[in-house]
């Protein structure tokens, strides 16, 4: 099983059966004619050698000189035919007719020079007629048989007239002619069956080739990685998804057959364990080359097969994304009901609690209970707002503004609302810091990040640092929010931006997810920077158009 060319082979066309048949038949005709002519050269050379070396033979018993010259002429014509076959000129039918006709003429002449039909040389024409019938696929077979029969009868008549004491053997000549026609007819029937079998084989071959192309297209379009491994651990076939998952470069290894242990030793280890016990169940593995979580499945093609095992690699991150999308889609359908069924009575409860709080009372328990009601109604209202934001995350009205001016206003509002000192923040800006962003989205993103930073920092002067820096290209600016807290645990990094994932008992788990979605809606990105002293989030924003 050869390795397929995974990208370029998508454009392969269907094999034209008629064109393929004509080309194959043409080459096969000429090849068969070449083999037939080689036989003619061998036979004519053998007759010439026997005549030259053994003078006292039946060959040339009536006219030795004539037999010798006829044998030489037969060898010369046969060798000359080799040149014509190589040049492919004249056409195939003309060359076949010329070769069979020359056989009939020269063999009839040699029969006369050897004393007539009793020389036995007429048997040689049987082979020529059978070969010509098979080579030409039955065409002209009976015509050549009739020419050979006429030649035998004329030779017999000429021998009767010009050889003294010769007794004509027309009965033997007639029987030999009947043999010629029988051989020609059999060759014609065999040719019919050969043509039918050949056409069927060509059609089956084309079907198999087309099916192989369809299978390759299907394999390439699968979202699941597929590796076909032989008994030596060599990767015989793979698709693009499998190449990505195991880090195999298709361009550099397409002409060679890579070994599984060299590119994915963890899969080679699992394959060896599975071969020892096919009932083994494996856990999910994380591919070291790209840190993707993968589920493996092994299927044996057949026993003692050269390509013995197919490894299916299922990208679990893609499935997790689909699950999240389904979860969010279901949540989105409930958003309208949540807004009408919860938010309105929640507002009424909160308003009633505020009115009760304003009323004069002296019982501290009464005040504490009202405070609990207000706090919980605000928390429930925040949950509803976060859920409603899921449906509004893609509505972005980007505008150009100074990031430094925006941050000064934001820090002032944030400190006033959260009742903290402004010296908690350290702002580091650059001169040219115009960005393209939706102000409302950026305000909500920063509010969520700064609230998280304030919750986990040491709450000292300069605990939260907001810094602007040049991005990876001229058209981007990095906005970093850094706190001096413990940072995010490596075990939680993979789930950090997943919806409904939270480490706080009072959190909804939607803050960071919505923040990233809003960044993407503004053609920006939000990521967490590892290997830093504290928590470090980075927003990569677009600059203004004049910096592109």
């Amino acid at each position: 099983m050869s390795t397929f060319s995974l990208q370029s082979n998508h454009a392969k066309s269907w094999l034209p059966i008629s064109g393929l048949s004509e080309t194959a038949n043409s080459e096969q005709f000429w090849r068969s004619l070449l083999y037939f002519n080689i036989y003619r050269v061998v036979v004519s050379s053998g007759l010439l050698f026997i005549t030259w070396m053994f003078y006292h033979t039946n060959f040339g018993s009536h006219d030795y000189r004539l037999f010798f010259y006829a044998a030489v002429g037969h060898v010369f014509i046969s060798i000359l035919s080799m040149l014509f076959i190589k040049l492919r000129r004249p056409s195939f039918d003309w060359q076949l007719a010329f070769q069979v006709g020359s056989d009939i003429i020269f063999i009839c002449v040699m029969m006369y020079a050897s004393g007539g039909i009793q020389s036995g040389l007429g048997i040689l024409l049987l082979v020529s007629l059978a070969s010509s019938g098979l080579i030409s696929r039955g065409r002209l077979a009976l015509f050549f048989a009739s020419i050979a029969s006429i030649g035998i009868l004329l030779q017999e008549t000429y021998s009767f007239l010009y050889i003294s004491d010769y007794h004509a053997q027309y009965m033997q000549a007639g029987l030999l002619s009947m043999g010629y026609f029988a051989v020609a007819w059999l060759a014609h029937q065999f040719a019919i069956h050969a043509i039918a079998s050949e056409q069927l084989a060509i059609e089956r071959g084309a079907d198999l080739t087309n099916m192989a192309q369809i299978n390759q297209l299907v394999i390439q379009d699968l979202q699941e990685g597929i590796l076909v491994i032989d008994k030596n651990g060599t990767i015989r076939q793979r698709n693009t998804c499998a190449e990505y998952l195991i880090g195999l470069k298709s361009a550099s290894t397409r002409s060679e057959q890579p070994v599984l242990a060299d590119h994915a030793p963890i899969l080679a280890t699992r394959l060896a364990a599975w071969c020892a016990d096919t009932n083994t169940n494996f856990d999910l593995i994380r591919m070291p080359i790209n840190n993707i979580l993968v589920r493996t499945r092994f299927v044996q093609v057949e026993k003692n097969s050269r390509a013995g095992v197919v490894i299916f690699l299922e990208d679990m991150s893609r499935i997790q994304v689909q699950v999240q999308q389904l979860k969010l889609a279901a949540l989105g359908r409930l958003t309208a009901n949540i807004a009408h069924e919860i938010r309105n009575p929640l507002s009424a409860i909160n308003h009633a609690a505020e009115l009760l709080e304003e009323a004069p009372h002296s019982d501290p328990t009464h005040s504490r209970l009202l405070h609990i009601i207000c706090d919980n109604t605000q928390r429930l209202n925040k949950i509803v707002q976060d859920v409603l934001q899921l449906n509004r995350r893609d509505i972005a009205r980007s505008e150009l503004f100074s990031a430094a001016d925006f941050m000064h206003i934001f820090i002032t509002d944030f400190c006033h609302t959260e009742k903290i000192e402004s010296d908690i923040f350290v702002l580091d800006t650059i001169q040219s810091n115009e960005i393209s962003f939706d102000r409302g989205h950026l305000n909500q993103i920063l509010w969520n990040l700064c609230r998280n930073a304030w919750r986990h920092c040491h709450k000292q002067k300069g605990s939260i640092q907001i810094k602007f820096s040049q991005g990876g290209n001229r058209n981007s600016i990095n906005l970093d929010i850094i706190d001096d807290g413990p940072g995010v645990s490596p075990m939680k990094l993979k789930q950090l931006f997943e919806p409904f994932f939270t480490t706080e008992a009072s959190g909804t788990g939607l803050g960071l997810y919505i923040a990233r979605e809003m960044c993407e809606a503004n053609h920006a990105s939000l990521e967490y920077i590892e290997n830093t002293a504290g928590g470090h989030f980075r927003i990569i924003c677009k600059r203004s158009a004049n910096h592109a």
Side-chain angles (χ1 to χ4, degrees), residues 28 54 143 166 170 203 208 239 248 255 301 363 369 371 402 417 421 423 462 470 488 497 528 544:
Q28 190 171 1
F54 306 100
F143 172 75
Y166 183 81
Y170 287 107
E203 292 177 358
L208 290 175
N239 63 353
L248 184 63
S255 59
V301 179
D363 189 358
L369 292 176
H371 184 70
S402 172
T417 303
E421 298 295 332
D423 58 359
Q470 177 63 47
V488 179
F497 293 98
Y528 182 80
S544 59

Side-chain angles (χ1 to χ4, degrees), residues 430 468-480 525 527 529 538-543 547-548:
I430 56 178
F468 288 91
S469 61
Q470 177 63 47
N473 55 69
R474 294 183 56 192
N475 196 33
S476 63
I477 290 180
N478 295 336
L479 173 55
D480 297 290
S525 63
E527 57 188 30
I529 307 300
R538 171 173 292 174
I539 303 174
I540 303 177
C541 313
K542 287 180 59 179
R543 278 183 180 268
H547 287 88

Side-chain angles (χ1 to χ4, degrees), residues 88-110:
R88 300 290 198 271
R89 293 183 180 180
S91 64
F92 173 83
D93 291 335
W94 281 103
Q95 291 201 38
L96 179 61
F98 174 75
Q99 292 184 26
V100 177
S102 63
D103 284 351
I104 295 173
I105 293 173
F106 283 110
I107 290 177
C108 288
V109 171
M110 288 187 285

Side-chain angles (χ1 to χ4, degrees), residues 25 35 69 103 145 164 170 193 232 264 290 314 346 404 407 429 488:
N25 285 341
Y35 295 152
Y69 287 154
D103 284 351
S164 58
Y170 287 107
H193 290 291
N232 298 320
N290 44 33
E314 190 174 5
L346 193 64
M407 288 305 304
T429 63
V488 179

Side-chain angles (χ1 to χ4, degrees), residues 46-207:
L47 292 175
L48 181 61
F49 177 77
I50 293 174
T51 306
W52 178 267
M53 296 299 297
F54 306 100
Y55 184 78
H56 300 288
T57 60
N58 291 331
F59 297 151
S61 59
H62 174 66
D63 191 341
Y64 177 81
R65 187 181 298 272
L66 178 60
F67 185 91
F68 181 79
Y69 287 154
V72 172
H74 197 198
V75 172
F76 175 76
I77 292 299
S78 300
I79 295 175
L80 185 63
S81 298
M82 298 289 289
L83 178 61
F84 290 153
I85 293 174
K86 185 176 181 180
L87 296 175
R88 300 290 198 271
R89 293 183 180 180
S91 64
F92 173 83
D93 291 335
W94 281 103
Q95 291 201 38
L96 179 61
F98 174 75
Q99 292 184 26
V100 177
S102 63
D103 284 351
I104 295 173
I105 293 173
F106 283 110
I107 290 177
C108 288
V109 171
M110 288 187 285
M111 286 176 62
Y112 168 77
S114 299
I117 197 172
Q118 66 268 16
S119 64
L121 292 174
I123 302 297
L124 295 176
L125 287 178
L126 289 174
V127 179
S128 296
L129 293 174
S131 301
S132 64
L134 293 174
I135 292 173
S136 63
R137 299 296 191 269
R139 295 179 298 174
L140 303 177
L142 297 178
F143 172 75
F144 292 145
S146 63
I147 296 299
S149 300
I150 294 172
I152 290 296
L153 294 175
L154 289 178
Q155 178 277 141
E156 193 66 17
T157 302
Y158 191 84
S159 299
F160 173 73
L161 294 175
Y162 291 98
I163 298 178
S164 58
D165 299 330
Y166 183 81
H167 299 284
Q169 300 179 15
Y170 287 107
M171 181 61 69
Q172 289 83 349
L175 292 174
L176 187 59
S177 298
M178 291 175 61
Y180 291 161
F181 279 99
V183 169
W185 182 82
L186 289 174
H188 177 69
Q189 294 300 316
F190 285 146
I192 293 177
H193 290 291
I195 292 173
S197 300
E198 182 181 3
Q199 185 65 25
L200 182 61
I202 292 174
E203 292 177 358
R204 291 292 184 270
D207 291 341

Side-chain angles (χ1 to χ4, degrees), residues 257-497:
Q257 294 178 347
V259 179
L260 180 64
D262 296 339
H263 297 276
I266 188 171
L267 287 181
T269 303
R270 285 202 169 191
L271 176 59
W274 181 84
C275 291
D277 182 8
T278 56
N279 295 322
T280 305
N281 294 322
F282 297 103
D283 296 330
L284 301 180
I285 61 172
R286 193 169 296 279
M287 304 304 293
I289 191 69
N290 44 33
N291 205 31
I292 295 178
L293 196 63
V294 173
R295 173 183 292 164
T296 58
R297 184 163 58 93
F298 302 89
V299 178
Q300 188 173 9
V301 179
E302 59 179 285
K303 293 183 178 180
N304 300 324
S305 175
R306 178 173 175 80
V309 179
V310 178
I311 303 177
F312 294 91
L313 305 175
E314 190 174 5
D315 187 356
M316 298 306 297
S317 61
R318 179 176 56 86
I319 296 178
Q320 291 174 352
V321 171
Q322 293 176 352
V323 171
Q324 289 180 5
Q325 291 175 349
L326 292 175
K327 187 186 296 185
L328 292 176
L331 184 60
R333 288 192 292 268
L334 294 175
T335 301
N337 292 332
I338 291 175
H340 291 287
E341 300 297 333
I342 295 180
R343 203 170 192 183
N344 291 335
L346 193 64
S347 298
I349 293 172
N350 185 62
H351 182 66
E354 290 177 350
L355 291 177
L356 288 175
E357 217 172 19
E358 294 176 357
H361 53 79
S362 58
D363 189 358
T365 304
H366 184 75
S367 300
R368 184 172 62 84
L369 292 176
L370 289 175
H371 184 70
I372 292 174
I373 293 174
C374 292
D375 288 345
N376 282 276
T377 53
Q378 290 177 2
R379 181 191 171 201
L380 289 175
N381 186 61
K382 178 64 170 58
I383 294 175
V384 172
Q385 288 179 350
D386 287 344
V387 172
L388 291 175
Q389 286 295 335
L390 293 174
N391 289 336
R392 295 196 292 266
R393 63 187 183 276
D394 293 332
I395 305 175
R397 298 179 178 85
S398 299
E399 56 180 305
L400 297 177
F401 56 89
S402 172
D405 296 340
F406 179 88
M407 288 305 304
H408 284 292
I409 298 174
F410 169 79
I411 292 174
T412 302
D413 293 342
F414 182 84
C415 294
H416 177 74
T417 303
E418 297 294 331
K419 298 179 175 58
I420 61 177
E421 298 295 332
S422 60
D423 58 359
I424 292 291
F425 288 90
V426 175
L427 180 61
D428 184 7
T429 63
I430 56 178
Q431 292 182 353
S432 179
N433 55 12
E434 278 195 337
I435 60 174
S436 175
F437 221 100
D438 185 300
R439 288 178 180 266
H441 284 181
L442 183 59
N443 183 78
Q444 184 173 347
I445 294 168
L446 290 174
W447 204 282
N448 186 283
L449 295 178
C450 290
R451 183 176 292 168
N452 288 339
W454 169 248
R455 184 184 303 120
H456 296 96
C457 72
H458 292 159
K459 297 178 176 56
Q460 299 175 356
K461 183 178 180 180
S463 289
I464 302 176
Q465 181 181 5
I466 298 178
K467 181 174 64 174
F468 288 91
S469 61
Q470 177 63 47
N473 55 69
R474 294 183 56 192
N475 196 33
S476 63
I477 290 180
N478 295 336
L479 173 55
D480 297 290
I481 296 91
I482 308 170
D483 63 74
D484 58 0
V488 179
S489 170
M491 300 297 295
K492 300 177 181 178
L493 284 178
K494 300 300 179 183
Q495 300 174 286
L496 187 60
F497 293 98

